[in-house]
Amino acid sequence: MQTFRTIKALTQCLKGYRTAGLRVGFVPTMGFLHAGHRALIAESVARCDITVVSIFVNPTQFGPNEDLDRYPRALEADHDLCRTAGVNLIFVPDASEIYPPGFQTYVEPGPVAEPLCGAVRPGHFRGVATVVSKLFAIVQPEVAFFGQKDFQQCAVIRQLVRDLNLNVEIVTVPTVREADGLALSSRNSYLSAADRARARCLSRGLFAAHAAFQAGERDSQRLVDLARAAMTEVNRLQYLELRNAETLEAIPELVERPAVLCVAAYVGTTRLIDNVLLTPPPTALSDHELELVSRAIGRQATVAAEGPQAL
Ligand code: AMP
């Protein structure tokens, strides 16, 4: 495993791999790695010849009163995790390597970045879209891996890749959770023991809504209310919203298409996010689809009665 601090050294090394026809997978992170990151790395190692992990606490995605300065760092432990997980290259740039003096171009995402975290963290997804675009340009991976835990981030990046014709496949990896349901996050390290225990109520609420959905509940308000009822132990519920899983648009009344229930809440002074997918089974057929099915059934009946020459 090799570690690079400069773009020049990293790209020189990657050029050699690319010339050799090797498939490069990329896992962008902010470090303080845990089993959630490890799941992304494992997916890359399974699908690609070379896995690159970046560790970069990106200043442009933090607001002025957010936790940029105290974001947890543990570079040595991160190296150990990467080594045992099968990472080939680590990229650990300084902020000045990514944003040198004179830097002035940003990537501005559209409506998909407006609700949820976009509404309460102005500029956050602009910073994310900018740094991910730059990292894609530097690493030029065939595939990049992101966690479902940051659902809106995945949606923003998929849109970015489509809109800017970036030649990279985006893979979303399911959220890795503690045994009690809490989604793993580097920010969980901020939680006191008491807050850690209270943080469980977020996933408990999401799972309650998921169970009701599985049992047939489709009323979006009732699903949200059910989740909220379990989330009483948080200090402040910042948002709890049911959204279209593809566009992140609001869902009016009934959940008829894949949806995502997203939450952001403060537990103590720590802001946590989580989400759960609600995907209706593909049973509802349109009139046109029903007609096609009945025509096919009718034709099968004809074939059974008259033999295959009826086709
Ligand atoms: P971060 O270091 O928090 O910026 O996260 C880097 C990547 O790891 C992002 O794509 C996250 O969505 C992903 N990630 C973080 N936590 C988890 C988790 N619990 N399960 C799966 N992926 C995660």
Side-chain angles (χ1 to χ4, degrees), residues 28-31 34 36-37 40 71 146-147 149-150 153 174-176 184:
T29 82
M30 298 205 297
H34 50 65
H37 299 107
L40 271 57
Y71 195 84
F146 294 87
K149 152 100 180 352
D150 298 272
Q153 174 170 278
T175 303
V176 177
L184 294 190

Side-chain angles (χ1 to χ4, degrees), residues 149-192:
K149 152 100 180 352
D150 298 272
F151 193 90
Q152 189 173 18
Q153 174 170 278
C154 291
V156 167
I157 288 162
R158 282 180 188 280
Q159 188 70 41
L160 164 85
V161 164
R162 263 198 302 276
D163 290 347
L164 300 187
N165 306 97
L166 304 183
N167 194 17
V168 52
E169 179 192 347
I170 303 299
V171 172
T172 302
V173 176
T175 303
V176 177
R177 297 178 180 282
E178 300 281 8
D180 66 2
L182 178 68
L184 294 190
S185 164
S186 306
R187 289 188 170 101
N188 290 353
S189 63
Y190 298 149
L191 295 168
S192 68

